[in-house]
Amino acid sequence: MRINSGRLLARIAALAEVSPISGGGNCRLALTPEDGHGRDLVVSWMKDLDLRVSIDVVGNVIGTWECAPGSPVMTGSHIDTVRTGGRFDGTYGVLAGLEVIQCLQDAGITPKRPLSVGFFTNEEGARFAPDMLGSLVYVGGMAVEDALDIVAIDGAQLADELEAIGYRGSHPCPGPTPHAFVELHVEQGPVLQSIGRRLGTVTGVQGISWQEVTINGQSNHAGTTPMSMRKDPAYVAGRIIVFLRELATRYGAPQVCTVGKVDLVPNLVNVVPATATLTVDIRNTDELTLQKAEHEFAEFLSHLADEENVTISSRQLARFEPVTFDERVVDIIDSVCASFAVAPHQLPSGAGHDAQMFARVCPTAMIFVPSINGISHNPAELTDDEDLVLGCDVLLHTMLRLANTSFTEENSR
Ligand code: GLV
Ligand code: MN
Ligand code: MN
């Protein structure tokens, strides 16, 4: 049995019409009106398939095909994007889940368990921190009240923004534990394309550490203040960026460090800034190495503040340890790939995903398809149609097998 490729690709194209940006991507920052319009469209498709749609207290939306008793096999991802997002990151997994259900309904095949497809609030973390917020709250990793209080980079409060787009639902969190969770996603990196593989079985997700660093110095005249007398936050921000690059080079792969956002105040040509605020994203697949990097960075900040006569403070935005996915689910995905005569490549994920939260509560793994030139978080993000369709076929058969599999220590992880 194969999915309906035209229908899958048409839904991806239709969702990409909601808040498009130049270059073929989308801007649907979490809980903005644009995100709301995307949500409304996907919910309308869930209703077309007669799914039971539940919206929980942090706006996660789950559509369930109640075709059998028991806890569901769940798939899903997110439809929020970064400001310069592609059209596949997250949306592909959600729309593939809908296609799987519709395909089975059309074929008159009833799985042994219900099938659910969800999209989770603020996966990207580009507007509210932390990332994977909705799935984190769904699995009980953060209290609902704490999540509702989170303030966005634009000053808005999460609870208000949920209300404003009509997605402050009533279903409680933590939500019901699925029988198993599998997420289909574009790789967002170059590995699969570089080795010529069309499918990846994801063995886990690397650890993620986010912080916001604020440097306070002395704002002053750019022409009159001697270099030796400056307390210059912009210079200090530059030193931080260079330090992180050198740290990542020194540690070697898979260590990565990124400064993605820098704000200077007052941000004027002839004024030494008063403050600089920047975000730091440090990731590694190994928890101890990640801790070592965080520790080195903290020591560097403390020396730098003394050296440059500024104050530096740091606020943690997100911290998730590396996650290892369930070998049984990984094996099922591998064997489904083999049944399509396609050799999968096992790899860890460099990006964060909702699946890493579900791994806390139920057997979980992910399927990747290649990203052309490894480009993502960029409107140029692209995957071949044939690979999108193949990934969805693998999702279909993986979900059917998961529905037939009884996991012995079910849902106790
Ligand atoms: C989410 O997309 C992340 O890994 O930053
Ligand atoms: Mn994603
Ligand atoms: Mn993303």
Side-chain angles (χ1 to χ4, degrees), residues 89 123-124 131 208 210 283 351-352 377:
D89 178 0
E123 190 274 350
E124 292 291 6
D131 48 351
I208 301 174
W210 282 2
R283 306 193 196 197
H377 285 184

Side-chain angles (χ1 to χ4, degrees), residues 85-305:
R87 57 170 61 193
F88 304 102
D89 178 0
T91 56
Y92 171 48
V94 177
L95 303 181
L98 284 180
E99 175 53 35
V100 164
I101 292 174
Q102 190 164 5
C103 172
L104 291 168
Q105 289 177 341
D106 285 355
I109 293 171
T110 306
K112 291 218 174 105
R113 288 178 170 276
L115 300 187
S116 289
V117 53
F119 58 88
F120 301 95
T121 297
N122 188 57
E123 190 274 350
E124 292 291 6
R127 186 170 181 226
F128 299 90
D131 48 351
M132 285 83 68
L133 176 83
S135 46
L136 178 68
V137 176
Y138 185 100
V139 303
M142 179 188 275
V144 173
E145 307 73 51
D146 292 344
L148 294 174
D149 279 347
I150 293 174
V151 175
I153 55 172
D154 49 34
Q157 198 179 330
L158 190 124
D160 296 337
E161 296 300 89
L162 278 172
E163 292 277 4
I165 61 165
Y167 279 86
R168 186 160 179 186
S170 56
H171 283 255
C173 281
T177 304
H179 172 66
F181 188 92
V182 58
E183 179 172 352
L184 173 65
H185 206 285
V186 292
E187 181 201 336
Q188 308 180 267
V191 174
L192 292 175
Q193 187 188 30
S194 70
I195 57 172
R197 296 288 179 95
R198 297 182 64 199
L199 291 167
T201 305
V202 186
T203 51
V205 180
Q206 67 179 344
I208 301 174
S209 169
W210 282 2
Q211 52 190 293
E212 181 184 76
V213 176
T214 303
I215 306 146
N216 283 298
Q218 176 62 60
S219 187
N220 212 333
H221 195 293
T224 62
T225 317
M227 297 310 286
S228 62
M229 295 176 70
R230 294 187 180 204
K231 300 175 179 178
D232 182 352
Y235 172 69
V236 172
R239 294 265 310 260
I240 289 172
I241 294 169
V242 170
F243 175 84
L244 288 167
R245 176 61 175 249
E246 289 176 352
L247 180 148
T249 307
R250 195 158 30 86
Y251 282 31
Q255 181 64 55
V256 286
C257 300
T258 306
V259 173
K261 184 171 184 287
V262 181
D263 295 303
L264 299 178
V265 175
N267 208 24
L268 295 168
V269 63
N270 54 356
V271 184
V272 177
T275 65
T277 308
L278 51 94
T279 58
V280 174
D281 175 320
I282 306 177
R283 306 193 196 197
N284 199 298
T285 49
D286 179 67
E287 172 61 20
L288 289 180
T289 312
L290 184 55
Q291 286 179 15
K292 185 164 165 251
E294 290 173 316
H295 184 70
E296 254 201 65
F297 181 56
E299 297 231 301
F300 172 73
L301 290 186
S302 140
H303 291 138
L304 189 59

Side-chain angles (χ1 to χ4, degrees), residues 8 11 16 27 46-47 87 90 180 197 203 236 276 282 321 333 349 364 369 377-378 396 409:
L8 170 70
R11 283 208 181 102
C27 178
M46 288 177 168
K47 291 187 172 158
R87 57 170 61 193
R197 296 288 179 95
T203 51
V236 172
I282 306 177
E321 289 188 12
I333 296 169
S349 172
T364 297
V369 293
H377 285 184
N378 180 323
L396 163 67
E409 29 48 81

